C-alpha cells in the first residue's frame, strides 16, 4: 500500500504506508516546491495538511504529535503546541487560523 | 460622498478610558465613529492598580493594558504626551497642548485624579514625590538609589502600598497618618490595631494621630526630614505624599460644566454631564449618588454605561461596591460591603487575636443577612465572603470568622455560593457565568473576570471544573503519580493498552493527546528495565509517544533546525575533545555557544545532518547528550580540591560520577544538578534539583532548588555524607520524586506540595518510614545497569536512520526553508524565509 496525495498535477505517491508510524507524521515535497505533512492515525487512516506552522512560519507540523479531540484527529505543532484538526486544517486554539488540507488516499501498489 | 462619521474625542487614556474604548469596540461602535484619544502621559493606558509590582520586577510592558494593534485595528487615533488644554463647548472643539484643534460630536472626559499634596512648607523640595504614574515610580527609584530613609505621608490603602515599595527599595521607612489608625476609611478600630502590629512587625515605623507640618530641607536644598504636629522632628531623605486624591476636573470647570461642591464632574445615571454632548467617567466623575469613586470597578461600570448610552441602550450607574483587598506583600487586609456597620441595627461578629495579628469582623443585619466586613491578618475568605454579601450565609457567621481549630469551623467552599453571586466585582461577573467556562484563560477571555484587581482569581480557580477533575488531560482521569502506579503494578508497556484500559471512556480507542503521550512515554522509559520493556525511546510504539525532541534525539529550534549538545560530564573536557567539537561545528557550519550548564551548544543542524554529526561525536568518544526532554541535563562542578585553594573534596570527580550515573533518567521535569568543592558554592548547587556541597567531613545534600523563572533555594536534606551515602540518598530522592510528582512539576514545587514537606521527605528517603527505600534503590540500579547511548544505538539501526530526512519522498533533498544568514562571524536563522506563505490565516 502506498499513500497518495492529490495535487494540481493529479495523485502524487508519497511513500509506503508501512513507513509511517501511527500517530506520527512525515513531510513531503510537492511539485510546486511547497510542503505537506502526512500522518496516519492508529486506525491506519491517512491525513495530509500543509507543513508550515502558521504561528512561527517554520515547516514543522509533520513533526508534531497526533491526538484525538472530540473524536477528531489533530496534530499539535512541535514549536508552540497549537493544535490543528487534521480533517479541516482548523486551528483548535485560534479560530481565525487555518492550514490547508490535501485529499489523500491509500492505494494498492501496482 | 458619504456622510462623515460622528466623532468621539476621549480625554485621558487611563484604565477607565481604555475600558471605554474596548466597550465601544465590543459594541461595534468603533466602526461607526471616528475616535481620537488625547493622552497626557507618554505611554498608552497601563494597569495603575498593579503599579507597585513595577518594583517587584514587572516591566512597563507587563503593565500595559492596551492590546498590541488595538488602536490600529479599530482605527483609533491616539495622541500620546499631548494633554487637552481647552474645551470650547460652543464650537465643540478641544485644543491640545501642541496646539491641535479636534472637533467632536461626543466628548468623553476620563481624566482620573491627581494626588492631593497638603500645603505644607517644603512640599516642593527635591526629594518630595507623589505616587500615581510609572514616571513617578521611575523618579522615586532613581532618587532612592543614593538615599537610605523614606517617609510616606498618609496611611491609607495607597500609602501602605507606597511604604511597602519604599521598604522594598531598601529604605528605612516610616508612615505618618493623621487619623488615629491606619486605613481609616476601610477598617475599624480593632482592625486598625491588628494592622498596626503587623506593619510594625515588618520593620516599618508608624506614627498615627499626627500630621505633617513641614518638610525640612538640608543645606543642599534637598529633603532632610519632617516636622510633625506633635512637635517632634524625624529624619528622612525622601517623602512620598499619599494623602488622598482629588478628581481632575479643572478642564471641565474652565469649560463651565457643573462640578460638585467638593470637586468631581457632576454626571447623571447615564454618565452625562450638564452638557448633553459631554460624558465623564472614572475617577474624575461625581456619580449620581454623590460620590467620587477611587476604584477601578465602578470606573469600568461607568465606561460600560457611557458606551451603552451612546448607542441608545439603557444602562444606569447608580453606585458601586467599595470592597478592597490590600496587595501589599505580607499583609492580608480586606474590607467589603458595609464594613463600618452603618446600616441601622446592624450587628457585629468579631474574632480578634492580638498575638497573631488577626482581626475579623462581619457585619450582619438582625435577620442574618451578611452586610460587610473587615479582615486583617488572614483575608483568605475574602473571595468567598464578598460574593455572599447581601444574602444569608449558609453557615452561622461566627463559624465564618473562627480560625481553623477553634470552635467548630466549617470549610465553606465556593459551591455554597448562589449562582447569581458576583464573584468578580471589577467586571461584575457572576458564578453562573464563570461556571460556563472550563479554564481560567477562557474565563478571562469571555467574561474579563480576574483581569482587574485579581482578587477573585483564587475563587474562580475553585469554581472551574478542572479544579475538581485532577485528571492528567482529556484522555485520563488519573494524575501522573496514579498512572505511574498503574503502569508499575500492572506492568503495562503499551500506550494503547493503557489508554484503552484506563482512559476516560470517550478517549478509549482514540489517538490520545500531546499531553498524555509523552507523559506515559516517560513513565514507561523510567520503569523500562523493571517492566522488562525496551528502554530505547525509539522502539516500536514508544517512538510515537515521544515529543519531537525525543523523537529526533535533538532540540528543535525556532526555524525547524536542531541543536546538538555533546555531553561533557561535570564540565571537564580535554583539549582534544574541545578541538573535535570545534571541527564538527566548523565542518557543518553550526553556531556555537557555551551554555549555562557547562556545555557547548551546536545550533543550526538540519534533520538530515544529525546522524552524521553524531557519528563524528561518537567516534571521538562523546555522547550527544540530553539537552532536551524531561531527563537529567547536567551536573555542573567547580574545580574543587584539585586546583582550588579552598576546596575540601574532589567536586569534579563527584560531578562526573553523578552525571554518568543519572544520564538518560526520564523524569516528570528536566533535572539539573551541581557539586561545589566548599561552602563558597562556585557551582551554584543550591539552585539545583539536587545539589552537593563539600564539607571537611563529607558531602551536604541539598534538594528542591530551582533557578529559572521561580527561583527557590534548595533545602538541606542530609549532612556530612560519605560518597556511598550520598549516592544512595540521591537514588532514593530521585526515584521517589519520579514516582509521585505531577507532570511538568519541578522538584521545588513538588517539595512544597508534599504534605509534611522536607520533614516528610527526610522521613521517607533517609529514615525509610514508608519501607520504600529498597525498592527505590533497586529501580535506580536497574536504570544504571541498562543505560544505553541512544545516539550510538540509533546510528547502528538503518531502519531508524531512515527517519532522519527532510522529505519522505525526496530523501536527499534538504529543506529549502531552513536557511541561515551571518551574524557576528557565525550563522543565525534567516527568519525572512519563514514568511507565512501557504497558510490561510
Ligand atoms: C498605586 C495605586 C494602586 C491602586 N490600587 C487600586 C486597587 O487595588 N483597586 C482599585 O480599585 N483601584 C486602585 N487604584 C485606583 C485606580 O488605579 C483608579 O481608580 C483608576 O486608575 C481610575 O481610572 P481612570 O481612567 O479614571 O484614571 P487614570 O487611570 O488615572 O487615568 C486618567 C488619565 O488621564 C490623563 N489625563 C488627565 N488629564 C488629561 C488631559 N487634560 N489630557 C489628556 N490626558 C489627561 C492622566 O494623565 C491619566 O493618564 C490604585 C491607584 C494607584 C495609583
Ligand atoms: S566552591 Fe570552593 S572549592 Fe569550589 S571553586 Fe569555589 S571556592 Fe573553590
Ligand atoms: S474582583 Fe477585581 S478582577 Fe475580579
Amino acid at each position: 500500500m502506498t499513500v497518495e496525495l492529490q495535487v494540481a498535477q493529479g495523485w502524487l505517491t508519497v511513500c509506503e504506508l508501512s513507513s509511517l508510524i501511527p500517530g506520527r507524521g512525515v513531510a513531503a515535497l510537492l511539485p510546486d516546491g511547497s510542503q505537506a505533512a502526512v500522518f496516519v492515525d492508529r486506525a491506519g487512516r491517512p491525513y495530509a495538511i500543509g507543513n508550515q506552522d502558521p504561528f512561527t512560519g517554520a515547516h514543522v507540523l509533520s513533526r508534531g504529535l497526533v491526538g484525538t479531540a472530540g473524536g477528531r484527529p489533530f496534530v499539535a505543532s512541535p514549536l508552540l503546541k497549537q493544535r490543528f484538526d487534521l480533517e479541516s486544517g482548523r486551528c483548535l486554539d485560534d479560530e481565525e487560523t487555518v492550514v490547508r488540507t490535501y485529499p489523500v488516499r491509500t492505494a494498492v501498489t501496482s | 460622498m458619504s456622510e462623515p462619521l460622528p466623532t468621539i474625542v476621549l480625554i485621558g487614556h487611563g484604565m477607565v478610558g481604555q475600558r471605554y474604548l474596548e466597550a465601544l469596540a465590543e459594541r461595534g461602535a468603533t466602526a461607526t465613529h471616528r475616535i481620537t484619544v488625547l493622552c497626557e502621559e507618554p505611554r498608552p493606558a497601563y494597569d495603575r492598580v498593579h503599579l507597585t509590582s513595577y518594583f517587584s520586577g514587572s516591566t512597563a510592558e507587563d503593565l500595559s493594558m492596551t492590546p498590541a494593534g488595538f488602536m490600529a485595528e479599530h482605527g483609533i487615533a491616539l495622541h500620546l504626551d499631548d494633554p487637552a488644554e481647552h474645551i470650547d463647548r460652543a464650537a465643540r472643539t478641544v485644543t491640545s497642548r501642541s496646539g491641535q484643534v479636534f472637533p467632536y460630536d461626543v466628548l468623553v472626559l476620563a481624566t482620573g485624579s491627581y494626588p492631593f499634596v497638603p500645603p505644607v512648607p517644603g512640599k516642593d523640595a527635591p526629594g518630595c514625590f507623589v505616587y500615581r504614574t510609572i514616571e513617578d515610580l521611575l523618579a522615586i527609584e532613581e532618587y532612592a538609589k543614593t538615599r537610605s530613609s523614606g517617609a510616606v505621608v498618609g496611611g491609607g490603602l495607597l500609602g501602605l502600598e507606597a511604604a511597602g515599595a519604599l521598604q522594598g527599595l531598601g529604605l528605612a521607612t516610616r508612615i505618618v497618618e493623621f487619623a488615629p489608625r491606619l486605613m481609616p476609611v476601610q477598617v475599624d478600630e480593632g482592625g486598625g490595631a491588628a494592622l498596626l502590629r503587623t506593619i510594625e512587625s515588618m520593620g516599618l515605623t508608624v506614627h498615627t494621630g499626627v500630621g505633617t507640618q513641614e518638610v525640612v530641607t538640608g543645606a543642599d536644598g534637598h529633603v532632610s526630614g519632617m516636622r510633625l504636629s506633635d512637635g517632634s522632628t524625624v529624619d528622612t531623605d525622601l517623602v512620598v505624599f499619599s494623602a488622598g486624591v482629588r478628581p481632575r476636573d479643572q478642564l471641565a470647570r474652565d469649560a463651565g460644566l457643573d462640578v460638585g461642591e467638593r470637586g468631581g464632574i457632576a454626571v447623571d445615571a447615564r454618565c452625562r454631564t450638564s452638557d448633553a454632548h459631554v460624558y465623564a467617567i472614572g475617577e474624575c466623575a461625581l456619580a449620581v449618588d454623590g460620590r467620587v469613586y477611587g476604584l477601578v470597578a465602578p470606573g469600568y461600570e461607568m465606561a460600560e454605561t457611557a458606551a451603552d448610552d451612546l448607542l441608545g441602550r439603557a444602562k444606569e450607574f447608580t453606585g458601586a461596591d467599595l470592597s478592597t483587598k490590600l496587595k501589599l506583600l505580607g499583609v492580608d487586609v480586606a474590607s467589603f460591603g458595609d464594613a463600618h456597620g452603618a446600616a441601622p441595627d446592624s450587628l457585629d461578629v468579631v474574632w480578634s487575636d492580638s498575638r497573631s495579628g488577626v482581626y475579623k469582623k462581619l457585619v450582619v443585619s438582625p435577620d442574618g443577612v451578611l452586610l460587610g466586613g473587615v479582615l486583617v491578618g488572614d483575608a483568605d475568605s475574602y473571595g468567598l465572603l464578598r460574593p455572599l454579601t447581601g444574602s444569608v450565609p449558609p453557615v452561622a457567621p461566627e463559624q465564618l470568622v473562627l480560625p481553623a481549630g477553634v470552635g467548630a469551623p466549617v470549610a465553606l467552599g465556593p459551591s455554597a455560593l448562589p449562582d447569581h453571586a458576583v464573584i468578580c466585582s471589577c467586571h461584575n461577573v457572576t458564578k453562573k457565568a464563570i461556571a460556563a467556562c472550563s479554564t481560567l484563560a477562557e474565563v478571562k477571555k469571555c467574561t474579563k473576570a480576574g483581569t482587574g484587581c485579581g482578587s477573585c482569581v483564587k475563587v474562580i480557580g475553585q469554581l472551574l471544573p478542572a479544579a475538581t477533575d485532577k485528571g492528567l488531560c482529556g484522555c485520563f482521569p488519573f494524575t501522573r503519580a496514579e498512572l505511574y502506579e498503574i503502569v508499575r503494578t500492572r506492568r503495562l508497556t503499551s500506550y494503547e493498552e493503557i489508554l484503552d484500559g484506563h482512559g476516560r471512556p470517550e478517549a478509549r480507542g482514540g489517538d490520545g493527546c500531546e499531553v498524555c503521550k509523552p507523559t506515559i512515554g516517560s513513565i514507561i522509559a523510567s520503569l523500562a528495565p523493571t517492566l522488562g520493556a525496551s528502554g530505547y525511546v525509539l522502539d516500536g510504539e514508544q517512538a510515537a509517544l515521544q515529543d519531537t525532541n525525543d523523537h529526533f534525539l535533538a532540540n528543535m529550534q525556532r526555524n525547524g533546525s536542531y541543536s546538538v549538545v555533546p555531553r561533557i560530564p561535570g564540565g571537564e573536557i580535554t583539549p582534544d575533545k574541545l578541538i573535535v567539537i570545534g571541527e564538527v561545528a566548523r565542518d557543518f557550519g553550526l553556531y556555537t555557544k557555551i551554555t549555562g550548564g557547562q556545555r557547548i551548544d551546536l545550533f543550526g543542524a538540519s534533520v538530515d545532518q544529525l546522524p552524521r554529526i553524531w557519528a563524528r561525536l561518537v567516534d571521538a568518544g562523546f555522547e550527544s547528550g540530553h539537552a532536551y526532554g524531561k531527563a537529567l541535563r547536567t551536573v555542573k562542578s567547580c574545580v574543587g580540591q584539585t586546583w582550588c585553594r579552598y576546596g575540601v573534596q574532589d567536586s569534579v570527580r563527584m560531578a562526573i560520577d553523578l552525571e554518568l550515573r543519572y544520564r538518560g533518567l526520564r523524569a516528570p521535569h528536566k533535572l539539573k544538578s551541581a557539586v561545589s568543592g566548599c561552602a563558597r558554592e562556585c557551582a551554584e548547587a543550591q539552585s539545583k534539583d539536587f545539589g552537593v556541597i563539600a564539607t571537611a567531613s563529607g558531602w551536604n545534600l541539598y534538594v528542591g532548588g530551582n533557578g529559572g523563572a521561580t527561583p527557590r533555594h534548595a533545602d538541606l536534606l542530609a549532612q556530612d555524607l560519605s560518597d556511598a551515602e550520598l549516592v544512595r540518598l540521591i537514588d532514593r530522592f530521585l526515584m521517589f520524586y519520579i514516582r509521585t510528582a505531577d507532570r511538568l512539576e519541578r522538584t521545588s514545587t513538588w517539595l512544597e506540595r508534599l504534605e509534611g514537606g522536607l520533614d516528610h521527605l527526610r522521613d521517607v528517603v533517609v529514615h525509610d518510614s514508608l519501607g520504600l527505600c529498597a525498592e527505590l534503590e533497586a529501580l535506580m540500579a536497574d536504570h544504571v545497569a541498562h543505560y544505553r547511548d541512544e545516539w550510538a544505538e540509533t546510528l547502528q539501526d538503518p531502519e531508524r536512520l531512515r527517519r532522519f530526512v527532510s522529505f519522505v519522498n525526496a530523501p536527499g533533498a534538504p529543506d529549502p526553508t531552513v536557511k541561515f544568514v551571518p551574524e557576528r562571524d557565525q550563522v543565525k536563522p534567516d527568519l525572512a524565509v519563514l514568511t507565512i506563505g501557504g497558510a490561510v490565516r
Side-chain angles (χ1 to χ4, degrees), chain B residues 6-7 23 41 70 110 123 130-131 149 154 177 260 272 279 338 370 460 471 501 530-531 547 576 657 683 707 716 727:
Chain B
T7 304
E41 293 187 53
F70 178 83
K123 70 180 170 49
V130 293
Y131 199 79
S149 59
E177 167 56 54
R272 285 178 300 210
Y279 294 84
D338 180 8
L370 178 65
I460 294 179
T530 317
L531 299 174
D547 255 328
D576 281 342
D657 287 353
L716 180 62
V727 169

Side-chain angles (χ1 to χ4, degrees), chain B residues 46-115:
Chain B
Y46 53 86
D47 185 353
R48 211 179 294 288
V49 170
H50 291 103
L51 192 63
T52 302
S53 69
Y54 173 81
F55 285 132
S56 53
S58 292
T59 62
E61 290 84 71
D62 295 338
L63 292 176
S64 169
M65 300 201 69
T66 320
F70 178 83
M71 297 293 166
E73 185 186 330
H74 296 287
I76 300 170
L78 173 64
H79 299 264
L80 293 178
D81 217 354
D82 195 12
E85 281 198 330
H86 177 71
I87 300 170
D88 183 338
R89 288 203 289 129
R92 278 202 226 141
T93 59
V94 177
T95 311
S96 72
R97 190 172 59 195
S98 69
Q100 291 191 75
V101 178
F102 301 92
Y104 65 79
D105 297 297
V106 173
L107 179 66
V108 182
L109 297 165
T111 47
S113 322
Y114 64 87

